[in-house]
Amino acid sequence: MEIVCLDLEGVLVPEIWIAFSEAAGIPELARTTRDEPDYDKLMRFRLEILKDHGLGLKQIQETIAQIEPLPGAKEFLDRLRELTQVIIISDTFTQFASPLMKKLGWPTIFCNTLQVDDDGMITGYRMRVEKSKLTTVKALQSIGYDTIASGDSFNDLGMIEASKAGFLFRSTEAIRREYPQYPAYESYDELLEAIVREIS
């Protein structure tokens, strides 16, 4: 039995932090896991910037409310879910994901949680498990699933490598060059075709 594990940001929806960086006029917040492999370091950097600018969860959620799925993403996800089970495994947070899941037709998502104080300021975050994408894929394999994974960033490489089949999707030139063993696709039709080959 196969189950497809997809990254969220950059694969199905735009990068939330890039959108917020543009909305807030703070270029430093545009750094993502495509740029920084160490997620904890990246999040501590982001939270420090938010604190310095007095920005909290409300301001980020206002930006998220304006974000739409990438063109063709919902249709791709709908077609894929007709063929097999799909889980989105993301390093984003429940407080960010809900409006995006509504726009994608409420797929299953595994993600993390922000710690927010009474004033709405983000004080920290709690990861669901360590190395959540890789750990989740291995847990699914332990209960009898063959996993097929796709993502665009450094933090997706663990689940891609551990899976029966793994694909880069709209990744950076640097990541594609460093990991040429993983097929890299730019369109949803190409990715769907590659996944179908693995589940047929």
Side-chain angles (χ1 to χ4, degrees):
M1 296 177 67
E2 291 92 5
I3 191 163
V4 175
C5 301
L6 297 175
D7 179 34
L8 177 65
E9 295 177 65
V11 174
L12 299 171
V13 303
E15 293 280 353
I16 291 169
W17 287 98
I18 291 177
F20 184 63
S21 165
E22 293 170 354
I26 305 172
E28 297 89 344
L29 284 175
R31 283 182 66 78
T32 71
T33 50
R34 287 177 167 207
D35 311 301
E36 175 53 70
D38 186 331
Y39 189 73
D40 182 62
K41 180 179 177 182
L42 178 62
M43 277 304 300
R44 285 187 279 109
F45 172 76
R46 288 166 169 169
L47 295 184
E48 194 62 37
I49 292 173
L50 293 178
K51 182 180 176 183
D52 289 346
H53 287 82
L55 296 169
L57 179 60
K58 178 175 180 289
Q59 289 83 6
I60 301 175
Q61 288 177 327
E62 287 170 352
T63 296
I64 293 170
Q66 307 303 313
I67 294 175
E68 295 295 327
L70 292 167
K74 185 176 185 303
E75 294 76 10
F76 160 75
L77 198 54
D78 288 345
R79 288 167 66 194
L80 187 57
R81 291 166 74 193
E82 289 175 3
L83 300 171
T84 189
Q85 297 297 306
V86 181
I87 296 176
I88 298 170
I89 307 175
S90 174
D91 280 338
T92 194
F93 306 96
T94 54
Q95 295 95 329
F96 290 0
S98 185
L100 299 170
M101 294 305 99
K102 182 177 181 180
K103 292 175 182 180
L104 286 170
W106 296 112
T108 299
I109 184 169
F110 293 169
C111 58
N112 306 303
T113 306
L114 290 169
Q115 297 164 329
V116 183
D117 68 17
D118 293 340
D119 295 322
M121 302 303 290
I122 302 170
T123 58
Y125 66 98
R126 187 168 59 83
M127 301 295 280
R128 189 169 42 82
V129 290
E130 189 177 350
K131 296 182 180 177
S132 61
K133 296 185 180 189
L134 174 60
T135 303
T136 301
V137 158
K138 290 197 167 188
L140 290 167
Q141 292 167 351
S142 77
I143 56 172
Y145 284 100
D146 287 326
T147 58
I148 300 166
S150 183
D152 69 324
S153 297
F154 283 109
N155 64 335
D156 299 311
L157 293 170
M159 72 172 181
I160 288 172
E161 181 178 357
S163 292
K164 166 190 170 183
F167 311 109
L168 294 171
F169 185 70
R170 296 182 180 171
S171 191
T172 66
E173 180 60 38
I175 292 175
R176 291 197 302 269
R177 192 168 53 245
E178 192 171 345
Y179 297 90
Q181 65 270 41
Y182 303 125
Y185 300 112
E186 293 295 316
S187 78
Y188 291 117
D189 286 344
E190 290 175 319
L191 181 58
L192 183 66
E193 186 178 320
I195 292 170
V196 167
R197 283 198 298 269
E198 295 297 332
I199 62 177
S200 57

